[in-house]
């Protein structure tokens, strides 16, 4: 028994000593990639793709671990409060970094102070789709229709406080229209109700809406990014629509995005090494193709500093938007 | 008044309890209790209207129905004969609960191997017969099976060895 | 008709196609797709048997592996995991009363009772045969009627779903064989427990009491493992020595002639109901097995045997849930709408392979589309061939003394529940539900209605509130002539309620009568 005790103490001491790695040696043991959502979603899929790629370039296993709960807060908190040694990464997204801080009354982490943002991985445009029955063929007609029938049009969304919901609220605000928000549990049932004509319009992310658009089950009126999407080159941007008719829509730019973050005090060298590894993965043609097929254009933001300032500017935009939309959780 | 069906008597109270619990949790604690305590105990949620039902609407309606049904069961228990409540056996209850909790809370710090062994030993101790040797063999077999199937095969992100051991033979 | 068979022929050719495969430097000619199908159903059976490990997590984990495969091979394998898990799930339900999937809750009711009476063999065989038959029929349905059925599915809006859920909940009462009032109360308690977590409409966290682990609600697996699994173990342990060996007489492996006679009609009805409900993307397949069980209990001549090991109570729900699992591919293949989490993953798998799911798949990539459908049939055949001989092995498992069996079951349950979100809290909840289940059993309240209420509660509230929002608060939307489907369901619910309540009332009056005498 005593010998066992000695062994345990020795082992513990050894592990303590080993827990302080120099950045040169990082990584010396397997990494954990926290996915703050249940297995199977787009963030989860891209995390698994990334994990496989990182494993190749870092030479250590990268294990994705799903820690769903509280709109992603649980998983992000876990990473934010883990030792800042670069061994716990988290898939951080627009919801957990920019929207939830104002949506939830209290959040167990500060998206800017508790986390070091490493690399932006995916940026998916949102697309404004309308039911086929709706007579509006473009944004101008849609706004006119909404103004002629105030409170009669319904817009669906994947959940309260989702980018789809907030984009809708933003649209209402800048065009001065009034429409009723109908929240769903995920965008699939909302799409089904749109195909049947029960819900009139919706801002959905391109990846989930694309099959229905291609099948002519719903009609795409505009994308919400500054530039047109390669997937729907014939569909104008809201910004373009703003230039032509609805001035309020100028500069409309809302994408769904996610990337990788680590705990705030992670050494700079580790962050840079990790960022370089992720960028290398993103430049690999096969990985690029996979992400593209999920609707993501390659993000232009790449370095940790660019990502961090992007996060803080998005946080500002969405704090304002959530406040105006009146959405609240908790 | 005589309780004719013990089972229904207690079941009635259980349903009433759950019903009231959900109602109170949904609309918040009544004002007089808040005044007695001095703070708002449970804030509750909005009721809303039938057009735009608030988060409290559905639970309050259901809680009310549950409490009413509980009352019916209670009434039934003094009208109609029914079975007695069978004896509670606390030993298996305790050991099964403790073993699964021990496993859950020790899995991350101690790893799958030790946590599984602990679960098997505690739960087996809650049974009728406990033979050290048998349980030891059983836990070895189960540990090998779990590591192979869950960690190797299905690649669940469980630590296999305790966190303080730096070199683990199985990853 | 000819076109259908032509198309199916394309599919079968694709499935059995020989391909040159290079493994470890050696090039071999193999029917690769069929091998992937076999791997899929084997893996599916394994995770189906293990409680708590579901097809969603498994498919998600395997997705990166499938990237290196051809799209058709990848999809065939993933689909195989899905319906293989359905088969495996019934095995655990029958043998140890553990429903790993919502669809196998009802299989527990009579399947486990059959096992306790030494008829695990016939029960497992019935499940396999019923599932196979249903799978074949549903595959044909998918092949022949997918596009028109998808249009029917779109007719279901929030109002229709709400009414369907009401009907389903009334049907849930039939699951219990004891007191009617207590069964209704258990359904409502289940509905309330299902509401825990983030409210879809307002985003408000309900009944989570500041515990962030409860913000997303309580998982089905957690509740089912607690109320069925833990509770069953405790109940068995309190019986002294009685259950040292699960069952001394193992009985025959295969169903008798009488059994076969009794299972034919339930399998047919179950298949029909399951195929119909499976096409509804908003939770129809969930109702399939429950609905089929209720239907059988009401129409069967042996309805008094239900809950005590009636073979109809295994045959009907098992065929219904397998039929539903197959036809739930219809909204995916024709509309690109996933009806459950597994289907959502299939969409992900298709998109990553560069295929946009939707009706154009059928015309643009017929080999893929029909190959997948053909593979479903082949997969079902494999499963039945695989499962019938396995029955012998499963039964041997039952002769293992219970003191070895229960720690193993407990360990697998704990691992499964833990793996859902990789945190200890779910295991804690499982233990709580075990306690609740134990108390309920002692008080003569059955857990099955609670579980159904738990599954349907959130769906019901969501659809009710959405329907009211869309109609701007008009309560008549559920029974207006413009919504005949919704009205039909509500009428059926009332009729069913009367059918259920009448005998109970009559019995009570008779009893009062007897007492007065």
């Amino acid at each position: 028994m005593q010998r066992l005790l000695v062994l345990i103490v020795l082992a513990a001491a050894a592990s303590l000593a080993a827990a302080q790695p120099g950045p040169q040696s990082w990584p010396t043991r397997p990494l954990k990639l926290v996915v703050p959502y249940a297995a199977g979603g787009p963030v989860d899929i891209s995390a698994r793709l990334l994990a496989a790629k990182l494993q190749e370039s870092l030479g250590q296993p990268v294990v994705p671990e799903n820690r769903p709960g509280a709109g992603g807060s649980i998983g992000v908190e876990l990473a934010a409060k883990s030792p800042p040694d670069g061994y716990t990464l988290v898939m951080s997204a627009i919801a957990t970094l920019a929207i939830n801080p104002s949506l939830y009354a209290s959040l167990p982490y500060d998206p800017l102070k508790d986390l070091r943002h490493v690399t932006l991985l995916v940026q998916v445009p949102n697309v404004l789709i309308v039911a086929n029955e709706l007579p509006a063929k473009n944004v101008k007609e849609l706004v006119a229709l909404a103004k002629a029938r105030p409170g009669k049009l319904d817009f669906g969304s994947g959940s309260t406080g989702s980018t789809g919901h907030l984009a809708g609220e933003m649209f209402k605000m800048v065009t001065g229209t009034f429409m009723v928000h109908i929240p769903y549990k995920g965008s699939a049932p909302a799409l089904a109700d749109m195909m049947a004509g029960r819900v009139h319009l919706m801002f959905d992310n391109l990846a989930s809406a694309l099959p229905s658009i291609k099948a002519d089950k719903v009609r795409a009126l505009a994308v919400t990014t500054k530039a047109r999407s390669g997937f729907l080159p014939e569909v104008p941007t809201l910004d373009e629509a703003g230039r032509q008719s609805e001035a309020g829509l100028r500069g409309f730019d809302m994408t769904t995005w996610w990337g990788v973050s680590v705990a705030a005090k992670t050494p700079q060298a580790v962050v840079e090494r990790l960022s370089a590894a992720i960028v290398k993965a993103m430049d690999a043609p096969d990985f690029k193709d996979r992400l593209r097929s999920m609707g993501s254009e390659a993000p232009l933001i790449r370095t940790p500093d660019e990502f961090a300032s992007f996060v803080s500017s998005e946080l500002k935009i969405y704090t304002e938007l959530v406040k105006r939309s009146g959405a609240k959780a908790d | 008044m005589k309780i004719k069906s013990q089972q229904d008597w207690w079941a009635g109270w259980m349903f009433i309890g759950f019903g009231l619990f959900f109602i109170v949790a949904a609309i918040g604690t009544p004002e007089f209790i808040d005044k007695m305590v001095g703070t708002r105990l449970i804030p509750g949620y909005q009721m809303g209207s039938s057009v735009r039902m608030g988060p409290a609407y559905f639970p309050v309606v259901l809680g009310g129905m549950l409490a009413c049904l509980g009352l019916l069961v209670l009434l039934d228990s003094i009208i109609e004969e029914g079975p007695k409540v069978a004896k509670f056996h606390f030993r298996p209850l305790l050991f099964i609960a403790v073993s699964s909790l021990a496993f859950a809370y020790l899995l991350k710090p101690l790893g799958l191997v030790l946590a599984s062994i602990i679960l098997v030993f505690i739960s087996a101790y809650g049974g009728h017969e406990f033979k050290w040797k048998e349980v030891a063999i059983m836990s070895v077999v189960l540990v090998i099976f779990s590591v192979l199937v869950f960690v190797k095969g299905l690649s669940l992100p469980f630590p296999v060895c305790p966190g303080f051991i730096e070199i683990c033979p199985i990853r | 008709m000819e076109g259908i068979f032509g198309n199916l022929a394309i599919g079968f050719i694709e499935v059995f196609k020989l391909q040159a495969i290079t493994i470890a430097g050696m090039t071999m000619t193999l029917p690769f797709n069929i091998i992937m199908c076999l791997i899929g159903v084997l893996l599916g059976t394994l995770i189906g048997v293990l409680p708590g490990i579901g097809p969603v997590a498994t498919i998600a984990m395997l997705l990166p592996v499938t990237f290196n495969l051809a799209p058709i091979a990848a999809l065939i394998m993933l689909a195989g995991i899905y319906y293989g898990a359905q088969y495996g799930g019934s095995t655990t339900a029958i043998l140890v009363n553990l429903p790993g999937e919502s669809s196998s809750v009802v299989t527990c009711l009579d399947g486990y009772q059959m096992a306790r009476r030494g008829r695990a063999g016939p029960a497992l065989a019935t499940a396999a045969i019923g599932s196979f038959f249903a799978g074949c029929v549903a595959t044909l349905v998918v092949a022949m009627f997918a596009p028109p059925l998808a249009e029917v599915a779109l007719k279901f809006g929030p109002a229709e779903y709400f009414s369907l859920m009401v009907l389903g909940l009334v049907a849930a009462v039939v699951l219990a064989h004891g007191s009617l009032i207590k069964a209704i109360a258990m359904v409502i308690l289940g509905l309330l427990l299902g509401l825990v977590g983030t409210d879809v409409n307002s985003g408000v966290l309900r009944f989570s009491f500041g515990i962030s682990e409860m913000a997303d609600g309580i998982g089905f697996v957690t509740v089912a493992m607690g109320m069925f699994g833990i509770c069953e173990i405790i109940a068995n342990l309190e019986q002294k020595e009685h259950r040292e060996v699960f069952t001394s007489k193992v009985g025959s492996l295969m169903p008798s002639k009488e059994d076969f006679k009794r299972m034919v009609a339930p399998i047919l009805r179950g298949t029909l109901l399951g195929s119909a409900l499976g096409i509804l993307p908003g939770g129809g397949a969930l109702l399939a097995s429950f609905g089929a069980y209720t239907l059988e209990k009401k129409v069967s001549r042996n309805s008094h045997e239900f809950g005590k090991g009636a073979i109809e109570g295994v045959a009907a729900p098992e065929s219904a849930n397998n039929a539903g699992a197959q036809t739930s591919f219809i909204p995916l293949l024709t509309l690109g709408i996933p009806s459950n989490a597994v289907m959502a993953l299939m969409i992900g798998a298709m998109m990553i392979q560069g295929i946009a799911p939707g009706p154009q798949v059928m015309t643009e990539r017929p080999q893929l589309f029909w190959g997948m459908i053909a593979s479903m049939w082949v997969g079902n055949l494999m499963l039945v061939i695989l499962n019938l001989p396995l029955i012998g092995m499963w039964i041997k498992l039952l002769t293992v003394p219970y003191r070895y069996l229960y720690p193993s079951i407990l360990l697998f349950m704990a691992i499964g529940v833990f793996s859902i979100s990789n945190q200890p809290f779910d295991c804690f909840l499982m233990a709580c539900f075990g306690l609740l289940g134990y108390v309920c059993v002692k008080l003569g309240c059955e857990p099955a209605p609670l579980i159904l209420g738990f599954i349907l509660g959130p769906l019901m509230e969501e659809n009710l509130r959405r329907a009211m929002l869309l109609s701007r608060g008009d309560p008549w939307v559920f029974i207006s002539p413009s919504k005949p489907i919704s009205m039909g369901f509500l009428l059926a619910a009332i009729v069913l309620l009367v059918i259920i309540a009448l005998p109970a009332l009559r019995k009570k009056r008779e009893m009062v009568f007897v007492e007065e005498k």
Side-chain angles (χ1 to χ4, degrees):
Chain A
M1 195 66 200
Q2 218 166 5
R3 206 190 269 166
L4 186 73
L5 214 67
V6 170
L7 260 176
I8 289 174
V9 170
L10 276 178
S15 73
L16 271 180
Q20 313 288 339
Q24 303 83 8
S25 58
W26 181 91
T28 55
R29 57 189 169 93
L31 287 83
K32 182 158 78 181
L33 178 55
V34 178
V35 181
Y37 307 100
V43 178
D44 179 62
I45 294 175
S46 60
R48 288 173 195 282
L49 287 169
L50 179 67
K53 278 279 163 197
L54 286 184
Q55 194 157 334
E56 280 170 27
S57 61
L58 295 176
Q60 284 286 347
V62 179
V63 187
E65 182 174 324
N66 298 90
R67 292 297 297 265
S73 303
I74 290 181
V76 176
E77 182 195 5
L78 179 87
K81 301 205 168 141
S82 64
D85 51 13
Y87 287 98
T88 308
L89 326 176
V90 64
M91 299 300 290
S92 53
I94 180 167
T96 46
L97 296 185
I99 299 177
N100 288 1
S102 40
L103 200 62
Y104 287 82
S106 64
L107 212 58
Y109 58 90
D110 183 310
L112 298 178
K113 287 189 192 124
D114 293 341
L115 288 163
R116 183 88 163 84
H117 305 295
V118 181
T119 305
L120 183 62
L121 191 68
V122 165
Q123 249 184 320
V124 186
N126 287 317
V127 52
L128 168 59
I129 46 179
V130 297
N132 277 342
E133 275 111 277
L134 213 67
K137 298 276 179 259
N138 55 42
V139 177
K140 191 182 167 194
E141 286 174 26
L142 177 68
V143 174
L145 192 70
K147 279 186 175 155
R149 287 150 67 178
K152 290 277 192 284
L153 293 190
D154 299 309
F155 77 97
S157 85
S159 75
T160 300
S162 63
T163 47
H165 173 203
L166 295 175
E169 295 293 344
M170 176 86 147
F171 185 82
K172 275 163 64 177
M173 214 156 67
V174 298
T175 57
T177 49
F178 176 58
M179 299 178 285
V180 177
H181 174 226
I182 314 281
Y184 283 81
K185 209 169 183 173
S187 54
L191 272 172
D193 267 1
M194 265 190 78
M195 289 180 198
R198 276 179 290 265
V199 171
H200 304 109
L201 65 145
M202 170 162 142
F203 286 87
D204 194 9
N205 80 61
L206 187 64
S208 80
L210 200 59
S212 318
I213 298 171
K214 291 274 182 210
D216 289 326
K217 298 277 176 190
V218 294
R219 202 161 55 233
L221 292 192
V223 289
T224 61
T225 35
K226 283 238 178 74
R228 290 192 180 200
S229 158
F231 294 94
L232 295 166
E234 68 289 350
V235 175
T237 66
L238 275 180
D239 182 56
E240 285 172 50
R243 280 167 214 281
Q244 285 153 11
S245 53
E246 301 296 329
L249 288 170
R250 290 202 50 181
F252 198 107
D253 185 11
M254 287 178 95
T255 56
T256 302
W257 50 263
W258 59 88
V260 177
S261 303
V262 291
K265 294 199 175 76
T266 308
Q268 181 65 21
V270 170
V271 171
E272 273 166 21
R273 174 97 202 273
L274 185 59
S275 171
I278 297 172
V279 169
K280 191 180 154 206
M282 287 166 69
D283 286 339
D286 56 337
F287 188 75
K288 219 186 217 164
D289 279 354
R290 303 288 182 211
L291 286 193
R292 242 191 81 79
S293 63
M294 291 169 70
S296 167
E297 316 276 356
L300 298 172
I301 295 154
R302 304 206 123 185
T303 67
D305 290 341
E306 281 170 352
F307 186 26
S309 63
F310 174 72
V311 170
S312 79
S313 82
E314 289 279 286
L315 181 63
K316 232 176 262 155
I317 295 169
Y318 283 95
T319 307
E320 181 66 20
L321 204 52
V322 171
K323 209 192 288 162
R324 289 216 209 164
S325 76
K328 212 178 234 148
D330 180 271
Chain B
M1 191 191 80
K2 197 175 149 273
I3 302 161
K4 288 185 176 164
S5 166
Q6 246 192 352
Q7 264 192 359
D8 283 1
W9 172 258
W10 290 112
W13 281 116
M14 180 179 80
F15 291 134
I16 294 174
F18 270 116
L20 292 181
F21 170 79
F22 274 101
I23 293 177
V24 171
I27 55 176
T29 37
E31 216 170 303
F32 71 93
I33 294 181
D34 286 340
K35 267 189 194 142
M36 264 164 30
V37 187
T39 54
R40 193 100 176 87
L41 267 183
I42 303 167
Y45 319 113
Q46 283 173 350
M47 271 301 269
S49 61
S50 60
V51 185
R52 205 167 255 285
M53 292 181 198
Y57 199 99
F58 205 61
V60 167
V61 172
L62 287 180
M65 282 164 74
L66 186 60
C68 290
L69 285 170
L71 216 56
L72 271 181
V73 177
L74 207 61
L75 277 177
D76 222 30
S77 75
I78 49 176
I79 297 173
E80 210 176 300
E81 288 293 338
K84 279 200 156 40
V85 177
K87 196 178 153 242
F88 269 78
H89 291 253
F90 288 101
R91 187 189 158 91
L93 189 66
L94 190 77
F95 278 91
I96 297 299
V98 167
S99 65
S100 45
L101 288 183
F103 173 84
Y105 286 93
L106 295 176
L107 178 57
K108 279 288 161 85
L110 291 189
L112 183 62
V113 173
L114 287 182
S116 307
I117 293 173
I118 290 169
L119 177 137
V120 171
F121 267 87
I122 299 180
S123 63
Y125 200 70
H128 302 297
E129 233 180 305
F130 184 84
K131 293 176 190 152
W132 271 94
K133 227 179 178 173
E134 261 183 26
V135 180
I137 294 169
M138 180 165 67
S139 57
V140 168
V141 172
L142 280 173
V143 161
I144 294 171
F145 179 86
S146 313
V147 170
L148 285 182
V149 170
F150 294 105
V151 179
K152 293 264 120 187
L154 296 169
S155 57
L156 295 182
F158 292 169
V160 176
C161 302
F164 50 78
I165 293 181
E166 184 63 14
I167 304 137
C168 179
I170 320 147
R171 279 253 203 257
Chain C
M1 211 56 186
E2 219 173 281
I4 296 299
F5 289 113
N7 287 331
L8 278 179
I10 297 178
F12 279 109
I13 291 168
E14 184 67 23
V15 172
F16 288 103
K17 196 171 69 178
L18 292 173
Q19 282 158 290
I21 305 294
T22 312
I23 303 168
M26 291 207 299
T27 304
M28 288 176 276
T29 309
L30 290 169
F32 190 61
N33 289 339
I34 217 84
I35 293 175
M36 292 322 286
C37 186
L38 182 64
I39 294 175
V41 296
L42 278 175
L43 197 60
T45 308
L46 172 72
I47 58 154
V49 169
L50 293 172
I53 312 274
V56 180
T58 313
I59 293 179
M61 264 177 295
L62 278 177
L63 266 187
V65 183
T66 63
F67 297 152
N68 306 322
L69 301 172
I72 173 101
L75 290 174
I76 284 178
M77 183 179 85
L78 297 179
I81 293 176
Y82 176 50
Y83 47 79
Q86 304 273 346
Y87 271 76
S90 3
T91 308
T92 333
I94 290 170
L95 292 179
V96 287
N97 202 25
L98 260 187
E101 292 271 331
S102 49
S103 53
S104 41
V105 171
V106 269
T107 310
C108 286
L109 298 179
D110 278 283
Y112 183 59
Q113 292 308 322
M114 283 181 78
R116 295 190 78 164
R117 294 151 119 222
R119 299 202 352 109
L124 288 169
T126 306
I129 296 165
S131 298
F132 175 64
F133 176 79
C136 295
V137 173
T139 305
L140 270 181
V141 170
V142 176
M144 291 202 275
F145 308 116
L149 283 179
E151 294 303 316
V152 175
L154 280 185
K155 294 246 182 326
F156 275 69
E160 283 79 8
Y161 276 118
F162 172 75
S163 303
L164 178 65
M165 300 298 155
V166 172
L167 178 61
L169 286 179
V170 174
V173 174
V174 181
L175 296 181
H177 49 267
S179 150
L180 182 68
I181 309 177
K182 283 201 271 188
I184 300 175
M186 288 298 273
V187 170
I188 295 180
L189 182 55
L191 285 171
L192 281 166
L193 289 170
L195 298 183
V196 174
T198 308
D199 170 30
V200 173
N201 285 59
S202 62
V204 169
L205 295 181
R206 285 188 297 187
F207 312 120
S208 61
F209 309 106
I211 303 165
S212 56
E213 283 90 346
M214 273 176 44
D216 285 350
I218 305 167
F220 161 79
V221 174
T222 316
V223 180
M225 294 295 142
M227 297 213 56
F228 279 82
I230 299 266
C231 183
E232 181 67 28
I233 291 178
I234 299 171
N236 282 334
L237 287 184
E238 71 178 26
Q239 292 166 3
K240 265 218 153 39
E241 298 305 311
H242 184 66
R243 281 285 310 273
E244 259 316 290
V245 172
F246 188 91
T247 168
S248 46
K249 51 175 199 312
V250 154
S252 67
L253 290 188
M254 293 310 272
S256 64
K257 216 171 182 183
E258 164 76 11
D259 289 336
F260 273 113
K261 232 180 253 165
R262 281 176 61 175
M263 73 170 84
V264 172
I267 287 179
L268 284 173
R269 280 188 289 256
T271 305
L272 202 71
L273 192 69
S275 308
L277 286 170
I279 59 172
L280 303 177
L286 280 178
L287 283 171
S289 55
F290 292 104
Y293 186 87
T294 308
L295 184 70
E296 280 321 306
K297 196 171 172 181
K298 281 293 135 194
V299 300
S300 171
R301 260 176 293 141
N302 307 314
S303 65
H304 57 279
E305 275 182 42
F306 275 70
K308 298 176 201 117
I311 199 157
E312 292 92 340
V314 177
E318 275 303 309
S319 356
N321 96 49
N322 210 42
Q326 306 280 333
T327 52
S328 61
F329 276 89
I330 288 180
L332 173 81
L333 292 171
T334 54
L335 302 170
I337 293 177
S339 41
N340 55 39
V342 175
M343 294 298 138
L345 267 176
M346 297 290 287
I347 287 206
M350 285 169 121
M351 290 187 72
I352 284 175
Q353 296 276 7
I355 305 158
Q360 68 281 5
V361 176
M362 211 185 303
T363 45
E364 284 169 15
R365 311 188 67 148
Q367 264 104 358
L368 181 90
F369 184 87
W370 295 107
M372 212 166 125
I373 287 174
S375 85
M376 290 183 198
W377 188 83
V378 177
N380 272 292
L381 184 68
M382 283 181 185
L383 278 167
V384 85
I385 295 174
L386 192 78
N387 272 282
L388 288 180
L390 272 182
I391 290 175
M393 191 194 91
W394 293 127
I395 300 226
K396 286 237 174 59
L397 206 68
L398 288 184
T399 56
V400 172
Y402 197 63
R403 65 175 190 278
Y404 301 146
L405 208 53
Y406 81 86
S408 329
I409 298 172
L410 191 65
L411 177 64
F412 296 152
M413 286 199 305
I415 291 177
V417 169
F418 192 95
S419 75
I420 299 169
S421 44
N422 290 305
Q423 60 188 9
F425 186 75
D426 287 324
C427 286
F428 169 73
L429 269 185
M430 172 178 82
C432 291
F433 276 101
L435 177 66
L436 178 66
Y438 187 61
V439 171
C440 284
V441 167
K442 292 280 161 187
L443 298 181
C445 306
E446 288 155 70
L450 182 140
I451 302 250
L452 185 53
F454 177 81
I455 299 168
L456 296 185
L459 284 172
M460 187 168 159
E461 187 201 17
E462 215 186 295
N463 282 302
L464 168 68
R465 287 167 70 178
R466 195 172 295 137
M468 294 305 267
L469 256 180
L470 283 171
S471 72
R472 306 292 187 267
D474 177 12
W476 298 108
V477 346
F478 300 106
I479 45 173
S480 79
S482 63
K483 296 238 180 344
I485 301 176
S486 165
M487 194 158 64
F489 282 141
L490 286 181
L491 281 179
I494 293 169
V495 171
L496 186 60
L497 201 61
V498 172
I499 294 177
I500 297 166
L502 269 185
L505 285 178
R506 207 180 299 138
K507 206 168 81 192
K508 188 155 283 178
R509 269 192 21 219
E510 276 162 15
M511 275 168 72
V512 173
F513 231 58
V514 172
E515 265 171 49
E516 277 170 1
K517 269 184 208 165

